[in-house]
C-alpha cells in the first residue's frame, strides 16, 4: 500500500509560479512511476505530467509543456511539479499518483493522493 500526500497549492496571479510536492509512504517509491493529474470544475480529470522511476524520462501534456517540470527525489520519497507562467486555465485540483511499475505512462495508476487546489487569478 502507498499513501500520497500533496502540498504546495494555493492562489497565484497569472504569470506566477507554484511548486507542488507529493510525499509518498512505502519503501518501494524509488521503483514506482509517478504522475500528476488535474481536474477543473465540471471537467474530467486529465493527465499533466509523468516521470519514470529514476527521473531519466518525463512526459507532459501539450497544454503544460515548456511551463511545468516534473522531478523526483527518491531519497525523500517525494515528487515535485514546478509550475511556471501559470494561466487561469491551469486552475484545478492537482492530484499525485503512483504506479507499481518503473516505466513511464499516462494511465494505469493505482494509488492517488487527496489533491491540492491551485487557483490562478487573471
Amino acid at each position: 500500500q502507498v499513501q500520497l500526500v500533496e502540498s504546495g497549492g494555493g492562489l497565484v496571479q497569472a504569470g506566477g509560479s507554484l511548486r507542488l510536492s507529493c510525499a509518498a509512504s512505502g519503501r518501494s517509491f524509488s521503483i514506482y512511476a509517478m504522475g500528476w493529474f488535474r481536474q477543473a470544475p465540471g471537467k474530467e480529470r486529465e493527465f499533466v505530467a509523468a516521470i519514470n522511476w529514476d527521473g531519466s524520462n518525463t512526459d507532459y501534456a501539450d497544454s503544460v509543456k515548456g511551463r511545468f517540470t516534473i522531478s523526483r527525489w527518491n531519497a525523500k520519497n517525494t515528487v515535485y511539479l514546478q509550475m511556471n507562467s501559470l494561466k487561469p486555465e491551469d486552475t484545478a485540483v492537482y492530484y499525485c499518483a503512483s504506479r507499481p511499475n518503473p516505466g513511464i505512462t499516462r494511465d494505469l495508476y493505482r494509488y492517488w493522493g487527496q489533491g491540492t487546489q491551485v487557483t490562478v487569478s487573471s
Side-chain angles (χ1 to χ4, degrees):
Q1 187 72 16
V2 174
Q3 291 187 328
L4 304 172
V5 179
E6 302 97 335
S7 62
L11 173 65
V12 64
Q13 289 188 333
S17 298
L18 282 175
R19 188 176 81 155
L20 305 183
S21 298
C22 172
S25 65
R27 295 182 294 175
S28 299
F29 173 82
S30 62
I31 62 171
Y32 280 19
M34 301 294 296
W36 286 97
F37 294 76
R38 67 186 182 187
Q39 186 167 20
K43 295 187 177 182
E44 293 187 353
R45 186 171 60 195
E46 64 175 359
F47 168 79
V48 175
I51 190 166
N52 71 331
W53 71 281
D54 67 352
S56 62
N57 194 10
T58 58
D59 184 26
Y60 298 93
D62 287 344
S63 59
V64 306
K65 200 172 293 184
R67 299 188 298 122
F68 290 10
T69 302
I70 188 171
S71 61
R72 65 190 297 161
W73 191 344
N74 285 347
K76 289 197 170 185
N77 279 16
T78 302
V79 64
Y80 304 96
L81 185 67
Q82 178 68 43
M83 306 185 296
N84 299 328
S85 302
L86 283 161
K87 305 175 181 179
E89 51 263 44
D90 294 318
T91 295
V93 177
Y94 283 71
Y95 298 91
C96 170
S98 69
R99 175 171 178 258
N101 185 289
I104 198 168
T105 182
R106 292 192 176 195
D107 55 15
L108 302 178
Y109 285 87
R110 180 181 297 180
Y111 305 107
W112 295 84
Q114 293 300 307
T116 184
Q117 176 70 46
V118 171
T119 303
V120 184
S121 63
S122 58

